Amino acid sequence: MILELRRYSCVAAALPIVVALAASASAEAPYPTRNITLVLPFAAGSGTDTTTRLISKELGVALGVGMVIDNRAGANGSIAASYAARSAPDGYTLFVTTNTTHSANPYLLKTMSYDPIRDFTPIARTGDLPFMLVIHPDIPANSVAELIALAKKEPGKYSYASGSSSASVSGATFARLADIDLLHVPYKSSPPALTDVIAGRISMMFIDVPTGLPHVNAKALKPLAVTTKRKSALLPDLPTMDETVKGFDITSWQGYLGPANMPKDIVVKLNAEIRKIVERPDIKSQLAERGMEAFSGTPEEFDGFLKEQLVLWEKLITDAGIEKQ
C-alpha cells in the first residue's frame, strides 16, 4: 500500500512539469518562422510574375524569411489555383493571382477544381495591371479605327493571341463590338504568345502593360490603345479602346490570397505588411515602371471586390459570346 501511494505521489508531483512542457511545446514562435511559398498561375516573365517578385522581395525583408516563387502556368491558371486551395491554411503557401482564376474562369471553364470564393482567404489587393492592344509593326494601322477597317476589308485574315483570360475576353469583346472576324490563338501564358506576335506569326494581342511595355519601347510592337475606359496614368498618350469601340472597358486586378480558413492574426499581419509595401512611394514608382497601378485595402474590401468582379466578368463573357471549354 505504501508503495502504491508513493507511486501516485510521484506521478502527481510530475504533473506540473508535464503540463509546463506541453504548454511550451504547443506555444509556437510568432509567424512566420520559415520560408513562404508564393504560387503564381502564370509563367516567369509575365506581368504578375514581374510585379510579385518586387513586392515579395520587400515582404520577405519585412517578415524576416525567404519568399519562394512557384510558377504553375497552364489551364487558365487552374493548376496553380487548385494547388493553392489544397495547401495547408497556415500562411506558408499563398496565392498571388488575377481575375483570370478568380473572376473569369467560372464562366470560361466547364469544370472547376476549386471555388474562387469558398476555397480561399482574401488577404490584400495590390493593384491593377492595365492591358493594351498591340499589333505587329508591319500591320498598316496606326489606330484602332484603321485596324478595324483592315479587318473588315479582309475578314479572317487577322488573328489575336491570348495568354490569359483577360486577353482572350478582350479579344472576343473587341471582335464583337467592332463587328469584325478575328482568329483566336490561345497560349498557356503571355510570354510565348507575345513571342509569336513579335515574330509576325500572330497579328495582335491584348497584353498587360508590364509584359508588353519593354517590347513597345523597343519598337518590336505597335501600341494602339489601353483597354480601360479611362486613360492610364502609366500611358497617358495612348487612347482608350472606348474612344473607338464604345462600351469597351476591361482591366486586370492583382492580389494575395491564401487557402480557406487561414488564422485571422496571420491574415491581419500579412495584410498590414503588404499594404505598407504597396503604399511606399519608391515601390509605387518601381511598380509603375513595370506597368502596375499599385494600391491596396483591407481583407474585407478585397473579399467584397472579388464577389463584385464575378458578376462583372460573367456579363463580359456572356456578352462576348464565349462558350465554356
Side-chain angles (χ1 to χ4, degrees), residues 241-316:
M241 289 290 295
D242 182 68
E243 291 176 39
T244 304
V245 185
K246 295 302 177 184
F248 199 109
D249 184 17
I250 297 176
T251 192
S252 175
W253 56 262
Q254 183 174 301
Y256 282 64
L257 301 101
N261 303 314
M262 277 182 62
K264 182 68 175 179
D265 60 328
I266 292 179
V267 173
V268 170
K269 183 170 187 175
L270 287 169
N271 177 269
E273 296 299 341
I274 291 170
R275 290 175 71 177
K276 285 180 195 175
I277 294 165
V278 169
E279 294 302 327
R280 276 170 44 186
D282 61 323
I283 298 299
K284 273 185 176 289
S285 176
Q286 291 180 62
L287 288 171
E289 290 173 0
R290 291 162 173 78
M292 180 176 175
E293 296 178 358
F295 54 86
S296 192
T298 66
E300 293 75 20
E301 288 170 336
F302 191 22
D303 180 56
F305 174 78
L306 288 171
K307 292 169 182 174
E308 291 171 357
Q309 286 293 296
L310 280 170
V311 176
L312 172 63
W313 279 82
E314 179 181 21
K315 185 177 188 311
L316 282 171

Side-chain angles (χ1 to χ4, degrees), residues 90-153:
D90 54 10
Y92 289 100
T93 300
L94 306 179
F95 189 40
V96 187
T97 192
T98 70
N99 44 284
T100 287
T101 62
H102 275 63
S103 305
N105 274 358
Y107 312 109
L108 292 175
L109 305 178
K110 288 182 179 179
T111 58
M112 289 269 290
S113 55
Y114 67 94
D115 185 287
I117 302 298
R118 186 185 62 240
D119 294 340
F120 292 88
T121 299
I123 297 172
R125 189 176 170 196
T126 51
D128 285 343
L129 294 168
F131 272 59
M132 59 181 169
L133 172 60
V134 295
I135 62 175
H136 188 270
D138 289 346
I139 295 176
N142 294 304
S143 68
V144 175
E146 290 179 3
L147 179 61
I148 292 172
L150 287 174
K152 285 183 177 292
K153 186 177 180 180

Side-chain angles (χ1 to χ4, degrees), residues 165-179:
S165 293
S166 294
S168 62
V169 173
S170 292
T173 300
F174 177 39
R176 181 184 67 85
L177 293 179
D179 192 25

Side-chain angles (χ1 to χ4, degrees), residues 3-240:
L3 290 174
E4 289 294 316
L5 287 173
R6 285 177 179 173
R7 185 178 62 177
Y8 289 136
S9 177
C10 290
V11 170
L15 278 176
I17 299 173
V18 172
V19 172
L21 289 173
S24 175
S26 63
E28 296 181 2
Y31 169 88
T33 59
R34 53 187 170 85
N35 290 350
I36 296 172
T37 297
L38 301 180
V39 180
L40 273 61
F42 306 117
S46 63
T48 299
D49 176 81
T50 302
T51 54
T52 298
R53 287 178 187 275
L54 173 59
I55 296 171
S56 67
K57 179 182 177 182
E58 300 299 323
L59 184 59
V61 171
L63 296 175
V65 296
M67 308 296 285
V68 180
I69 303 294
D70 184 2
N71 299 94
R72 291 178 178 253
N76 258 26
S78 292
I79 295 172
S82 298
Y83 176 83
R86 293 194 302 269
S87 299
D90 54 10
Y92 289 100
T93 300
L94 306 179
F95 189 40
V96 187
T97 192
T98 70
N99 44 284
T100 287
T101 62
H102 275 63
S103 305
N105 274 358
Y107 312 109
L108 292 175
L109 305 178
K110 288 182 179 179
T111 58
M112 289 269 290
S113 55
Y114 67 94
D115 185 287
I117 302 298
R118 186 185 62 240
D119 294 340
F120 292 88
T121 299
I123 297 172
R125 189 176 170 196
T126 51
D128 285 343
L129 294 168
F131 272 59
M132 59 181 169
L133 172 60
V134 295
I135 62 175
H136 188 270
D138 289 346
I139 295 176
N142 294 304
S143 68
V144 175
E146 290 179 3
L147 179 61
I148 292 172
L150 287 174
K152 285 183 177 292
K153 186 177 180 180
E154 299 182 87
K157 176 181 177 180
Y158 296 96
S159 57
Y160 68 94
S162 71
S164 68
S165 293
S166 294
S168 62
V169 173
S170 292
T173 300
F174 177 39
R176 181 184 67 85
L177 293 179
D179 192 25
I180 54 178
D181 180 15
L182 299 175
L183 174 64
H184 179 207
V185 184
Y187 291 76
K188 286 186 176 181
S189 62
S190 295
L194 203 57
T195 296
D196 279 357
V197 178
I198 292 170
R201 289 185 283 271
I202 306 293
S203 311
M204 69 192 81
M205 182 177 182
F206 285 91
I207 184 69
D208 57 273
V209 173
T211 305
L213 193 56
H215 304 288
V216 167
N217 291 337
K219 308 298 182 184
L221 293 170
K222 188 191 302 183
L224 296 186
V226 292
T227 60
T228 48
K229 196 166 188 177
R230 61 179 177 82
K231 285 197 172 185
S232 171
L234 304 174
L235 298 165
D237 297 328
L238 205 59
T240 68

